[in-house]
Amino acid sequence: METKIFKPTEIDAAAKAIRDGQLVAFPTETVYGLGADATNETAVKQVYMAKGRPSDNPLIVHVTGIDTVEQYAQPLSATAKKLIKAFWPGSLTLIFKLQPGKLSAAVTGGLNTAAFRNPDNQVTLDLIRAAGVPLVGPSANTSGKPSPTLAKHVYHDLNGKIAGILDDGPTEVGVESTVLDMSTDLPTILRPGAVTEEELTAVIGNVRSSHHRVGAKEVPKAPGMKYKHYAPNAQVTIVDREADWSAAMDWASHQAGTIGVMATDSILAELTLPNNIETYSLGANLDSASHQLFAGLRYFDLESPVTGILAQGFPDDGLGAAYMNRLNKSAGQVHFEK
């Protein structure tokens, strides 16, 4: 199959491919998603095949607003409606209990819940409206690899496996949406993202964060809870403290191959770099680092291969919770030790 690159002016052609049961990657403000008609079970199953994704890993359903959610979910609470009003369109995914038989088990992983999101990207909202159906949309990458923030990342992983990619340039946020489970008594964050716990609390009061480890035979309620994620080819090691970077450079200087360094400009400016170091700037601060994280990991996979990667850690709060969630999974929890 030839994977076509659709321009934003070619939404009707991309929508036709969706209606025909084909797969089209689409842009969101977070990362690129792999789109298929959420009401077409055959098309949904092709998403798993194209990504190499385990079939018990549920998919997020992308919609243009609350009306579509109400067609599938059980009646929404006042709290849910507050969240939708405050954060949609945007980087918040909400899990609701479903009306029986409304969505295929291929979408839900066999659960009685499903995750819904209204993405903040006009091109994709136009695509969903033109297709006339909600779209499943896991990240448009090979399962386990860093999420794609550019169309070329999608093309690298899925060329020949999907019908097309709707290219709207680089994504704005760079880490996936926050996933909030609304099917429990107390709203529970299953995956931190661009919408922070503090922002959620300001709208609806108390929420909790889940640190539950999903068992081998357990079906996760949300993406990213069970399987390996975000890993480049090289081993990532997290450097947590600014004071540790000098020792990290000494360690790198004794490695046989090239070592990648991902850090903010202020860190990079202070380092004495060994000859075997290749750097990638994470920008000025946590905001830019979150935006650049996946692009940096992809850079060291696709454009400047290395044998190891040293990546800057940040405090695990606010947006840092989302950044460190992704970075820890990318590194397999490996942190630099003197």
Side-chain angles (χ1 to χ4, degrees):
M1 164 189 317
E2 180 183 354
T3 297
K4 177 177 174 56
I5 304 297
F6 294 106
K7 300 175 183 177
T9 55
E10 299 176 298
I11 286 174
D12 287 344
K16 182 180 185 302
I18 293 286
R19 291 194 300 272
D20 289 344
Q22 297 179 301
L23 309 186
V24 176
F26 59 84
T28 76
E29 79 281 17
T30 57
V31 301
Y32 274 76
L34 181 53
D37 178 354
T39 68
N40 182 333
E41 185 173 26
T42 300
V44 172
K45 288 180 177 179
Q46 290 176 7
V47 170
Y48 290 96
M49 292 177 63
K51 282 178 58 69
R53 182 185 177 99
S55 60
D56 68 345
N57 202 2
L59 304 174
I60 294 173
V61 180
H62 290 67
V63 300
T64 57
I66 190 172
D67 291 347
T68 306
V69 177
E70 291 178 328
Q71 294 176 31
Y72 297 96
Q74 293 187 16
L76 303 182
S77 66
T79 299
K81 291 178 180 178
K82 277 186 181 180
L83 290 166
I84 288 171
K85 182 177 180 180
F87 297 108
W88 280 14
S91 304
L92 178 64
T93 294
L94 298 170
I95 295 177
F96 298 118
K97 291 181 180 178
L98 291 171
Q99 301 174 38
K102 284 290 187 175
L103 281 174
S104 163
V107 176
T108 67
L111 300 173
N112 66 350
T113 57
F116 295 88
R117 183 159 100 84
N118 179 187
D120 191 12
N121 178 283
Q122 192 58 52
V123 169
T124 286
L125 294 176
D126 290 344
L127 174 67
I128 297 171
R129 292 187 181 102
V133 291
L135 304 183
V136 296
S139 56
N141 58 308
T142 299
S143 191
K145 286 299 184 182
S147 297
T149 56
L150 291 169
K152 71 177 182 179
H153 299 160
V154 183
Y155 192 83
H156 175 269
D157 283 16
L158 300 179
N159 179 30
K161 298 179 181 180
I162 65 176
I165 303 166
L166 183 55
D167 186 356
D168 191 36
T171 62
E172 295 179 3
V173 176
V175 294
E176 300 92 340
S177 60
T178 304
V179 177
L180 186 66
D181 188 358
M182 298 299 293
S183 70
T184 55
D185 290 339
L186 183 65
T188 303
I189 297 172
L190 301 184
R191 181 179 75 184
V195 176
T196 66
E197 181 175 347
E198 292 78 9
E199 289 172 320
L200 294 170
T201 300
V203 174
I204 61 169
N206 287 340
V207 299
R208 66 181 177 186
S209 294
S210 174
H211 302 286
H212 173 64
R213 291 186 177 273
V214 176
K217 296 183 178 180
E218 186 178 354
V219 177
K221 269 190 170 182
M225 294 183 67
K226 182 176 182 180
Y227 295 99
K228 183 180 179 181
H229 274 66
Y230 318 124
N233 294 329
Q235 173 63 51
V236 177
T237 301
I238 303 169
V239 182
D240 291 295
R241 297 176 300 177
E242 186 172 347
D244 290 341
W245 276 103
S246 178
M249 290 300 95
D250 181 63
W251 170 86
S253 71
H254 291 88
Q255 304 309 303
T258 301
I259 302 298
V261 170
M262 297 172 53
T264 53
D265 293 335
S266 60
I267 294 290
L268 293 176
E270 294 178 359
L271 296 180
T272 301
L273 299 175
N275 292 332
N276 65 331
I277 291 292
E278 175 76 20
T279 63
Y280 185 91
S281 172
L282 293 177
N285 50 37
L286 174 59
D287 285 346
S288 61
S290 298
H291 182 253
Q292 293 293 336
L293 175 62
F294 290 141
L297 296 175
R298 286 272 175 178
Y299 173 79
F300 287 126
D301 262 1
L302 307 183
E303 299 180 44
S304 185
V306 293
T307 57
I309 299 171
L310 295 169
Q312 182 178 345
F314 283 89
D316 191 7
D317 53 31
L319 183 58
Y323 176 90
M324 291 305 297
N325 172 272
R326 305 324 189 268
L327 185 55
N328 269 306
K329 289 179 179 179
S330 174
Q333 304 288 336
V334 175
H335 292 250
F336 180 78
E337 297 181 4
K338 289 184 180 180

